[in-house]
Amino acid sequence: MSDKKIIFSGIQPSGKITLGNYLGALSNWVELQDEYQNYYCIVDMHAITVPQIPKDLRENTLLLLSQYIASGIDPNKSTIFIQSHVPQHVELSWVLQSMTYMGELGRMTQYKDKSAKGGENLNSALFTYPVLMASDILLYSTDLVPVGEDQKQHLELSRDLAQRFNNRYSDTFKIPEVYTPKVGARVMSLQDPSKKMSKSDENENGYISLMDSNDVIIKKVKRAVTDSVGIVNYSDEQPGIKNLLDICSKFEKVSPQDLALRYQGKGYGEFKSDAAEIIAQGLRPVREKANEYMNDKAYLEEIYSQGAQKAEEVASKMLSKVYKKIGFIPKKRI
Ligand code: AMP
Ligand code: TRP
């Protein structure tokens, strides 16, 4: 057994992932990888809480796996797997649902946002979604969950549920901590810097997909909404410029304030063309490698099969413990 602390995180294959997913989540996983024992999941069961086209879901799942590896998640250091391959996630989720209050779920902002858009045809999984997320995390005795800012509230719920179970039965679950990066935790839309960058944005110019070509990236950055101040400052008064500075600072590994200093006395045009180049060059290797992995389905199959096997070993032990504690009769093999 390794005495390293444990990380669990996941992304939904509900479309092509964006620069926001990359800077808010994926790139940080790579940085934490050596220090921790890691589980990185492709949460396909979460993705179906909004309608998916089966063919696209299959494609996006394999693409996300390719992007994990292309970003630097090393299958020899991390357990990479697909959520639907490890049935214990939904099984634990049912147990946890029986201890979750409707009021708690009703307060989740992601649910409130998505349900506001969905009108009357809401499915119940959209409501219980955070409980499945809690079970993802708690099955692996996770210490740390690296995610973007928007997931903090879900993490709070995971902690509450773990504590509730431990109090009601006895110490079982580790209480996970959230990890959000200092810069990049909330990458904003290029078209409306008051909204987070999202792969479900109707306006394609609002987000950069990890698979966008250099030309497309450059065009989108040049079209990014800014302001009429005309000076490159790192300030809340200039959210469009601030967003671009944050993004570039992550690639350049300098503070956004220092980056702004480079543009003293220069206009937005010059800043935007540099920003476009930094982002395009930063994403190019990930895109190219991901395309290579997409052409090697046998390799991808090997990674996700081994990952599921390793994950299930851990998850099944935790689930048996939980079932026993709540009073279910252990199944006997005959
Ligand atoms: P999702 O696409 O909802 O599965 O999100 C996967 C991960 O990316 C989560 O950790 C999110 O917090 C993170 N993420 C999504 N959008 C952004 C964004 N615009 N800025 C920063 N992180 C994000
Ligand atoms: N809910 C997360 C999102 O929308 C994805 C997710 C599901 C997740 N299970 C997780 C993230 C477990 C971290 C840990 O972004």
Side-chain angles (χ1 to χ4, degrees):
M1 272 301 269
S2 153
D3 53 8
K4 285 183 177 173
K5 289 196 166 186
I6 297 169
I7 278 188
F8 186 101
S9 199
I11 299 179
Q12 304 179 56
S14 55
K16 305 268 180 282
I17 63 165
T18 70
L19 181 62
N21 298 125
Y22 182 70
L23 297 182
L26 201 41
S27 63
N28 308 302
W29 303 355
V30 177
E31 279 171 24
L32 295 164
Q33 184 171 229
D34 287 321
E35 217 183 305
Y36 289 82
Q37 190 189 332
N38 320 280
Y39 294 90
Y40 291 123
C41 188
I42 294 161
V43 290
D44 54 352
M45 297 199 124
H46 279 97
I48 61 163
T49 55
V50 296
Q52 302 291 330
I53 298 165
K55 175 169 126 321
D56 293 351
L57 182 58
R58 269 191 291 273
E59 168 88 9
N60 288 331
T61 299
L62 293 180
L63 180 60
L64 190 51
L65 173 61
S66 302
Q67 289 169 323
Y68 279 11
I69 310 169
S71 300
I73 306 288
D74 179 347
N76 295 314
K77 294 179 187 164
S78 298
T79 303
I80 311 174
F81 68 104
I82 300 172
Q83 189 182 27
S84 62
H85 290 180
V86 183
Q88 287 79 6
H89 290 236
V90 251
E91 294 176 299
L92 178 61
S93 167
W94 184 254
V95 174
L96 295 178
Q97 272 186 62
S98 70
M99 310 177 54
T100 309
Y101 305 111
M102 306 280 281
E104 284 176 305
L105 295 176
R107 282 194 292 277
M108 296 288 133
T109 50
Q110 186 167 322
Y111 168 72
K112 287 199 268 186
D113 289 351
K114 287 195 178 175
S115 58
K117 279 187 210 152
E120 300 213 324
N121 297 322
L122 294 179
N123 65 64
S124 59
L126 193 63
F127 189 64
T128 55
Y129 168 115
V131 187
L132 179 58
M133 174 162 167
S135 92
D136 296 341
I137 296 166
L138 300 181
L139 273 176
Y140 299 92
S141 305
T142 301
D143 293 284
L144 197 68
V145 185
V147 283
E149 194 78 37
D150 61 341
Q151 296 302 313
K152 273 191 171 171
Q153 198 188 22
H154 290 160
L155 241 292
E156 254 335 290
L157 179 73
S158 302
R159 291 166 56 88
D160 289 348
L161 290 176
Q163 237 135 18
R164 196 170 300 158
F165 188 98
N166 290 352
N167 290 341
R168 197 173 290 180
Y169 300 100
S170 62
D171 214 18
T172 308
F173 294 125
K174 185 112 36 98
I175 312 298
E177 302 283 337
V178 65
Y179 171 97
T180 48
K182 282 194 198 72
V183 179
R186 198 167 160 79
V187 177
M188 309 312 282
S189 158
L190 298 181
Q191 289 297 310
D192 177 359
S194 68
K195 276 191 345 202
K196 74 164 188 173
M197 182 180 284
S198 161
K199 57 193 164 212
S200 56
D201 196 331
E202 287 137 31
N203 183 349
E204 285 196 358
N205 286 320
Y207 62 87
I208 291 174
S209 154
L210 243 55
M211 298 316 276
D212 279 346
S213 68
N214 278 13
D215 289 352
V216 170
I217 295 175
I218 289 167
K219 243 185 248 151
K220 287 182 178 176
V221 176
K222 288 194 174 164
R223 281 191 197 144
V225 167
T226 52
D227 53 67
S228 55
V229 177
I231 301 167
V232 180
N233 282 322
Y234 188 70
S235 146
D236 288 337
E237 309 294 310
Q238 293 170 252
I241 294 291
K242 183 171 190 257
N243 189 35
L244 289 177
L245 284 168
D246 276 334
I247 294 170
C248 293
S249 93
K250 210 58 193 189
F251 284 111
E252 295 282 278
K253 302 202 178 352
V254 292
S255 75
Q257 290 85 353
D258 285 348
L259 202 57
L261 289 177
R262 290 190 201 164
Y263 295 91
Q264 274 187 335
K266 295 177 184 167
Y268 287 172
E270 189 167 341
F271 170 55
K272 276 183 166 181
S273 19
D274 286 359
E277 210 50 47
I278 289 170
I279 299 168
Q281 292 312 331
L283 292 183
R284 179 202 280 271
V286 180
R287 178 179 69 242
E288 288 177 351
K289 279 190 222 150
N291 276 327
E292 282 172 30
Y293 291 125
M294 276 307 267
N295 289 324
D296 192 351
K297 295 286 182 326
Y299 177 65
L300 295 180
E301 194 179 298
E302 187 185 316
I303 303 296
Y304 67 66
S305 307
Q306 282 174 357
Q309 201 179 342
K310 278 200 264 172
E312 188 162 2
E313 257 170 50
V314 178
S316 61
K317 281 196 192 121
M318 179 59 93
L319 188 72
S320 301
K321 210 183 217 187
V322 167
Y323 275 9
K324 210 161 148 200
K325 291 204 184 193
I326 61 179
F328 287 171
I329 305 279
K331 184 163 88 182
K332 292 283 175 229
R333 302 230 170 260
I334 44 167

